[in-house]
Amino acid sequence: MHIKKLSPLLANQIAAGEVVERPSSVVKELLENAIDAGAKRIQVDIERGGARLIRITDDGHGIEREQLELALARHATSKITQTEDLKAIHTLGFRGEALASISSVAKLTLSSKAQAASDDSAGWSAIAQGHDMAVEIQPRPMPAGTIVEVRDLFFNTPARRKFLRAERTEYVHIEETMKRVALASPSVAFTLKHNGKVTKRIPAAKSEEQQKQRIGAIVSNNFLRQALYLDTSIDSLRIWGWLSSPEHHQNSSFSQYVFVNGRAVRDRTLNHAIKQAYQELLPAGRVPAYVLYLELDPEKVDVNVHPTKHEVRFSDARQVHDFISRAVAEALEPQAETLLADELLQVEEVERAYIPQNNSFKDQSKDKYYHPRFEAGVAVEQETPSVSRTQVQRERHYSSYAPKPGSRNTNNQEGQYILVSERFLLQPIDSGVLLLDIKGFWLDYSAQLLQQEWGKETLKRKPLLIPERLGIPVEAVSERYLELWNKLGFDLNVTGPKSVALRQVPASLLHINIKQLAQDVLYATASVSHSISLQELQRLLLEKLSVHWWPDSNQSWLDLLNPQNWKESKFCQKLSESDLASWLMTKQASDTFSQTQLHSANTQH
């Protein structure tokens, strides 16, 4: 067998087998080219389901006469110039093979007039047909823009033509393709004509309300009436759009649209993330409807995966999956997720409900939901009666006395310590032990660091991978109030009548339950949001730090504490052996007494 170089026609026909599946594939490629050219109005004319004629007319930048012939050449494009451009693609098309592939299986005429041309100058047409793929250039009077005519699709490949479906079927595919492109490009007006009759007209959206109406017209007004709006972002990731509530579902995936940086995609990672968020909320065999837009850094997504560009690949697929799944799940949660103290008595089972401080909880004999930690205003997981809370606490208490190795000098006393109740650190020394109140020391250090950063306006922030939704006890809070929080390092955004999303927090707050801290202060101050001062908000946040102490059991404490010279602080004491024995006996007796009280209270209630 001799190796031969394929003719241009045969090479383009092979490429067309990947790009041109049916008439709707041609429409998709030409619509994307028009949008990349900056078109604001696009008209699609088709005859006999696109088999006889597909004409795309746009008012984009147009093509210069000298470049018309080159535009029909294979792998010729104006959208990328070097290898680095593939790492961050900002356009819908970039391969430069669509026009060449289409012209190899149909009779193609490309007519264009550049926007920079004078009004009295003519446009030009490039006609490509025949086995030699020769291009003929002819003048053509026309306004600025581009017209692409594709006639007799698959006229020279009969085997492909016989796979075309009925005219109505092909039209439906073209209509669906135009819907997807229109949803991805809200600022562009579209008109679709079939056999000379206007079948769909989609005006451009110039405002958020018009875009919402446009989505209702394209997808369904019934979908839009019951849809939930979603808008969540973290770092360079943002997901926004509309999704159906759990009470409204369908039996097919017909009204499911996902767009990545303005490109309609069918991606398994994205679909699975959305499905996971709905999996416990829908009956078997039913699926949701949604129109969602994912925006991220173009360098973190690869669209050069498949010739049709329907598939994408993310540099961190797990992060994208978890972000979308959590964002959709939170959007599906009821707005009244946070319970007030007087509402708690009306429910029979509470899971991770926030309970604000309230004097009514001090009466243990009258409140069947009383728990000692309620007075601290923290989240409590209700356990089933079969679980022995006292036994779990006792095991956790004694296990906390196990020696903990530090990461440095682990073979000597300097690298060894004992952690008691995740609160006290004991480090042996030659004449006894050093006892450090970790909670007291770290909260004091954190408060001082926060005050310094607030005063110098050098606050360092860290974003939350998944924003936390918090409740507020009033219908609305002032913009000034949210700005005060922002000055303190907390990025809060209103997400509902009585809810806000926490997206960023001060980086210096470690071993603090940030969500409950912010929730606690919100309940204490939201009702006076119009009059509270920055100093009052600062004071309250610092006061609440001790209430929401939340140490990480996996923390290597010496690595964290040694740079802060903890041995010289007022929270560190030197104990002799006898002092240590006395202290441990007192500590153990106190804990045992507390556990006995708790067991008695649980038994009574």
Side-chain angles (χ1 to χ4, degrees), residues 105 224 318 330 339 372 453 455 494 596:
V105 294
L224 198 59
R318 170 53 60 184
E330 287 196 345
L339 302 179
E453 292 181 345
V494 177
T596 303

Side-chain angles (χ1 to χ4, degrees), residues 164-165 173 182 218 221 270 285 294 332 359 416 442 548 581 585:
L164 292 179
R165 301 304 180 188
H173 281 281
I218 295 175
N221 285 319
L270 304 181
L294 176 65
L332 297 174
N359 293 333
Q416 295 288 336
W442 190 253
H548 300 291
M585 291 289 292

Side-chain angles (χ1 to χ4, degrees), residues 51 324 384:
I324 293 177
T384 58

Side-chain angles (χ1 to χ4, degrees), residues 94-243:
F94 57 90
R95 295 175 180 270
E97 61 183 10
L99 292 178
S101 299
I102 294 170
S103 66
S104 69
V105 294
K107 300 172 183 178
L108 185 143
T109 301
L110 172 63
S111 304
S112 187
K113 178 180 177 181
Q115 293 281 1
S118 60
D119 294 338
D120 57 350
S121 62
W124 294 88
S125 295
I127 304 171
Q129 57 183 348
H131 291 284
D132 57 356
M133 300 293 293
V135 178
E136 180 183 355
I137 305 295
Q138 297 178 354
R140 175 175 179 175
M142 61 177 292
T146 302
I147 302 174
V148 183
E149 293 180 345
V150 180
R151 294 184 180 274
D152 298 332
L153 187 62
F154 301 133
F155 80 99
N156 57 352
T157 52
R160 298 284 303 279
R161 191 178 184 88
K162 70 179 183 180
F163 283 100
L164 292 179
R165 301 304 180 188
E167 178 180 326
R168 175 62 184 172
T169 302
E170 297 298 343
Y171 167 78
V172 169
H173 281 281
I174 291 175
E175 184 182 43
E176 180 64 20
T177 296
M178 198 179 79
K179 282 183 179 180
R180 291 183 178 274
V181 176
L183 287 172
S185 306
S187 61
V188 182
F190 293 86
T191 302
L192 175 61
K193 297 176 69 175
H194 187 210
N195 294 333
K197 297 181 180 179
V198 175
T199 57
K200 185 168 289 293
R201 197 184 300 276
I202 305 174
K206 298 181 180 180
S207 65
E208 292 185 6
E209 183 60 30
Q210 289 179 353
Q211 182 178 359
K212 189 175 180 180
Q213 294 174 0
R214 177 179 165 121
I215 290 178
I218 295 175
V219 182
S220 166
N221 285 319
N222 290 332
F223 161 75
L224 198 59
R225 276 193 290 269
Q226 54 80 26
L228 304 173
Y229 182 70
L230 164 67
D231 191 350
T232 302
S233 60
I234 182 71
D235 290 343
S236 62
L237 287 172
R238 181 193 178 198
I239 181 77
W240 64 278
W242 292 263
L243 60 160

Side-chain angles (χ1 to χ4, degrees), residues 258 269-278 288 290 292 324-325 328:
V258 180
T269 299
L270 304 181
N271 292 337
H272 182 269
I274 299 170
K275 181 180 179 181
Q276 187 178 61
Y278 274 97
Y290 46 79
L292 295 175
I324 293 177
S325 182
V328 173

Side-chain angles (χ1 to χ4, degrees), residues 1 90 92 136 156 187 211 230 251 256 277 289 319 328 384 386 437 450 456 465 477 493 522-523 553 563 604:
M1 298 287 293
H90 298 270
L92 297 177
E136 180 183 355
N156 57 352
S187 61
Q211 182 178 359
L230 164 67
N251 58 6
Q256 295 181 344
Q319 181 190 30
V328 173
T384 58
S386 61
D437 179 0
L450 265 180
K456 298 179 180 178
L465 178 60
V477 293
N493 302 102
L522 275 171
Y523 264 87
S553 58
Q604 294 177 6

Side-chain angles (χ1 to χ4, degrees), residues 78-93:
S78 62
K79 300 166 186 177
I80 60 174
T81 58
Q82 52 190 351
T83 303
E84 287 70 19
D85 294 339
L86 290 175
K87 299 178 182 178
I89 295 175
H90 298 270
T91 55
L92 297 177

